[in-house]
Amino acid sequence: MEVDSFQLHKFQSEAWSALDEPKIREIALLAGIQGGKTTFGALAMLHVVAKTIEKQKANFIVAADNYKTLSQATVPTFLKFFTPRLGKYNHGKEEFNLKNGSKIFFRTATDPNSVEGIPDCAFAWIDEAGKCSRLFKINILGRVARLLGKVLYTSTPYSMNWLYTEVEKPYRLGERDDIAFIQFS
C-alpha cells in the first residue's frame, strides 16, 4: 500500500519523518496556496494506514473545515491514492471501508461534535485546520487518544487561533517536544 514513486519536496519530507517518530503526537504542515499540503495529507494517511493495519484493526479520520473543502479538494485527492484495490469509498456514509475491516471516516468541522462516537482511531488528518474550531481539534485529539495516535494538521495560516497558541507557539518556545511544526511559503 505504500506510495514509492511520489517525490516529496523538502518540507513535505520533513513532515514525513515526523510520521514515524514515536514521541510526535501532532504534526502541522502550514504553507501558502498550492504548497502540496492536501497531497501530503493523503499520502501521510496512506502511509499510516498501511503501517497500522499490518498490526491491528483501527479506524482513521479525514476531516476538513467545511463540506466544500472536503468534497472538492480533500476527498478527490484522497481517492487518487486510495484506489478500489485497497477498499471501497461509500459516499452516502462518508467512509472508506478498508479490506481488513478498518474504516476511514470523513467529517467536517461545521459540527465540532461530528467525530464523537468514532472508536479506536489511530490517526486523524484535518485539512485546512486553521479554519476549524478549537472544540473540533479537541474532539479529534480525543478520538486518537486511546491508541496514542497522531493528528496531522494541513493548512494555510489564517489567524492567531488555537493552531498558533496551542501548536505553533509552544513548539517555537520549546515547551512541547511532541509537536512537529513545518511552515513554508
Side-chain angles (χ1 to χ4, degrees):
M1 249 169 70
E2 195 60 47
V3 176
D4 46 4
S5 62
F6 197 86
Q7 183 66 40
L8 299 174
H9 62 61
K10 172 183 155 185
F11 301 103
Q12 290 171 321
S13 294
E14 192 177 331
W16 190 268
S17 296
L19 292 171
D20 294 326
E21 178 59 49
K23 73 176 181 178
I24 299 296
R25 294 290 312 279
E26 297 175 65
I27 303 164
L29 182 66
L30 278 64
I33 297 168
Q34 297 295 305
K37 303 175 300 289
T38 303
T39 297
F40 178 81
L43 289 167
M45 180 62 72
L46 184 63
H47 176 72
V48 173
V49 165
K51 286 184 63 175
T52 302
I53 65 173
E54 287 177 3
K55 301 177 208 163
Q56 65 184 349
K57 185 176 169 184
N59 292 314
F60 307 87
I61 298 172
V62 173
D65 60 319
N66 60 45
Y67 182 75
K68 186 175 179 180
T69 303
L70 189 70
S71 65
Q72 294 178 0
T74 313
V75 170
T77 303
F78 170 91
L79 291 174
K80 286 179 186 175
F81 301 102
F82 281 80
T83 62
R85 72 181 172 81
L86 304 175
K88 184 173 180 166
Y89 179 63
N90 184 326
H91 180 74
K93 289 187 173 185
E94 297 180 323
E95 61 190 37
F96 190 92
N97 298 297
L98 294 159
K99 295 205 174 190
N100 80 328
S102 296
K103 293 184 181 193
I104 302 170
F105 294 89
F106 296 86
R107 297 293 185 265
T108 68
T110 307
D111 173 5
N113 296 312
S114 65
V115 297
E116 289 296 323
I118 300 174
D120 302 322
C121 291
F123 185 74
W125 162 39
I126 308 175
D127 201 16
E128 293 303 344
K131 290 183 178 180
C132 298
S133 71
R134 181 175 184 270
L135 178 57
F136 187 69
K137 185 264 305 194
I138 289 169
N139 285 335
I140 291 280
L141 287 171
R143 296 295 91 208
V144 301
R146 194 178 79 71
L147 296 182
L148 300 176
K150 297 178 190 286
V151 178
L152 170 65
Y153 311 115
T154 56
S155 189
T156 300
Y158 292 102
S159 64
M160 294 183 128
N161 62 6
W162 64 266
L163 196 51
Y164 172 75
T165 60
E166 296 177 20
V167 179
E168 180 179 356
K169 189 175 177 184
Y171 170 81
R172 293 199 189 279
L173 293 173
E175 296 172 349
R176 291 191 52 199
D177 63 356
D178 63 336
I179 293 174
F181 184 85
I182 301 97
Q183 185 173 10
F184 59 99
S185 55

